[in-house]
Amino acid sequence: MTLAPHAEPGVCGTARITATRAGEGTVLSALAGDGPFHLRRLHSHGDQARVCVLGAMNAPLGGDRLRVEATVEPGAHLHITTASAAIALRGPTPEPATYDVHLTVGEHAGLHWLPQPLISAAGSNLRQTCTVDLAATARLVLREEQVLGRFGEPPGRLAVRLVVHRDGHLLLDQQTAYGPDVPGWDGPAVLAGHRAAGQILVVDPELERHPLQARLFGDGPATGQAALTPLAGPAALITALAPDSLRLRHLLDAAHPTD
């Protein structure tokens, strides 16, 4: 564990993962974590290496600076998940915590980035970014889920951004903010009273020949719905809103199973 620069409160931690093609499979040529990150190798599945990110302490708290860097080298295949939901909590400083994820996927390589949900607890302040660089023949399945507040409490302030480049060109750049001082975050144009939001991004060269069709999932707005939207890329984005995390995962799995 290291203190942030100038001895400000907060923890700095970085997890680094590199997957490399080796014969008919994939090996983890780099696997290192500090601060709250502990990385565990899981049993491989076919030619896919698997990693679970475990949290060794409560994080992110206000003032924390956390980062995950994952690189999938050409021809390799990697699956990353987390052991449990991450809970953003109030920290010893009013400064926001930051959680930055950087994913790089090489030619003919594939990455499944499937963390458990992020819970924004009352009083927390978190800025989360995910930046993805894909080669032209790379494949990606990326899932994000946010739960606004624990049971019976309001959420903290949460700002999330996802930026994806494919073959050097911008594929997707979206950002959303929730919680106190964010105009309209709980209104009909954003969450519409729901407390769980999520999405799955699928990027696959096969979608050029067999594109997914736009589709709506779910029984109605009151119990949550998911929408599948084809993107140029080739890619598809599934977005969902639901009253809680269980219903959210059900909707996302119905639209595109990931596990």
Side-chain angles (χ1 to χ4, degrees), residues 183-204:
W185 71 273
D186 199 23
V190 187
L191 290 187
H194 291 304
R195 284 296 180 268
Q199 61 186 2
I200 296 175
L201 174 66
V202 180
V203 183
D204 191 332

Side-chain angles (χ1 to χ4, degrees), residues 76-102:
H77 295 88
L78 178 62
H79 178 288
I80 303 176
T81 188
T82 57
S84 60
I87 305 178
L89 298 167
R90 182 196 301 270
T93 169
E95 290 297 311
T98 61
Y99 195 143
D100 297 319
V101 176
H102 290 255

Side-chain angles (χ1 to χ4, degrees), residues 66-69 98-102 127-131:
L66 306 180
R67 182 180 178 94
V68 176
E69 300 175 357
T98 61
Y99 195 143
D100 297 319
V101 176
H102 290 255
R127 297 173 183 170
Q128 177 176 279
T129 63
C130 183
T131 303

Side-chain angles (χ1 to χ4, degrees), residues 3 21 26 33 44 58 60 94-95 105 113 123 146 162 198-199 201 218 222 225 233 238:
L3 290 178
R21 186 74 181 183
T26 298
S44 60
N58 288 332
E95 290 297 311
V105 188
W113 171 255
Q146 294 94 32
L162 173 62
Q199 61 186 2
L201 174 66
Q225 287 186 305
I238 300 155

Side-chain angles (χ1 to χ4, degrees), residues 164-180:
V164 182
H165 288 88
R166 177 179 180 268
D167 195 24
H169 302 286
L170 182 65
L171 173 66
L172 179 67
D173 186 347
Q174 66 172 26
Q175 50 188 325
T176 310
Y178 309 102

Side-chain angles (χ1 to χ4, degrees), residues 1-254:
M1 183 192 311
T2 57
L3 290 178
H6 310 301
E8 293 177 357
V11 172
C12 293
T14 301
R16 293 183 175 89
I17 304 166
T18 302
T20 304
R21 186 74 181 183
E24 297 299 316
T26 298
V27 299
L28 297 170
S29 53
L31 192 65
D34 60 16
F37 294 118
H38 177 71
L39 306 180
R40 177 177 296 174
R41 300 171 188 259
L42 303 179
H43 291 295
S44 60
H45 181 75
D47 66 347
Q48 183 187 69
R50 295 194 164 202
V51 175
C52 183
V53 181
L54 291 81
M57 62 184 73
N58 288 332
L61 305 178
D64 288 354
R65 301 290 181 263
L66 306 180
R67 182 180 178 94
V68 176
E69 300 175 357
T71 300
V72 189
E73 296 183 342
H77 295 88
L78 178 62
H79 178 288
I80 303 176
T81 188
T82 57
S84 60
I87 305 178
L89 298 167
R90 182 196 301 270
T93 169
E95 290 297 311
T98 61
Y99 195 143
D100 297 319
V101 176
H102 290 255
L103 309 173
T104 303
V105 188
E107 296 287 356
H108 303 288
L111 173 63
H112 282 65
W113 171 255
L114 306 174
Q116 298 301 319
L118 168 66
I119 301 172
S120 175
S124 64
N125 188 353
L126 176 64
R127 297 173 183 170
Q128 177 176 279
T129 63
C130 183
T131 303
V132 186
D133 289 302
L134 303 172
T137 54
R139 297 185 301 279
L140 173 73
V141 177
L142 178 148
R143 184 181 67 212
E144 292 185 330
E145 297 166 292
Q146 294 94 32
V147 179
L148 285 306
R150 293 172 293 189
F151 182 77
E153 74 174 10
R157 196 180 196 284
L158 175 63
V160 293
R161 185 176 184 183
L162 173 62
V163 181
V164 182
H165 288 88
R166 177 179 180 268
D167 195 24
H169 302 286
L170 182 65
L171 173 66
L172 179 67
D173 186 347
Q174 66 172 26
Q175 50 188 325
T176 310
Y178 309 102
D181 304 323
V182 179
W185 71 273
D186 199 23
V190 187
L191 290 187
H194 291 304
R195 284 296 180 268
Q199 61 186 2
I200 296 175
L201 174 66
V202 180
V203 183
D204 191 332
E206 282 295 314
L207 295 179
E208 289 183 328
R209 293 187 295 171
H210 306 288
L212 298 176
Q213 301 301 312
R215 186 179 172 189
L216 192 65
F217 299 83
D219 297 327
T223 57
Q225 287 186 305
L228 187 157
T229 304
L231 303 177
L237 181 66
I238 300 155
T239 55
L241 294 176
D244 55 53
S245 60
L246 290 177
R247 180 59 179 166
L248 178 71
R249 180 65 63 86
H250 176 78
L251 287 166
L252 291 174
D253 285 345

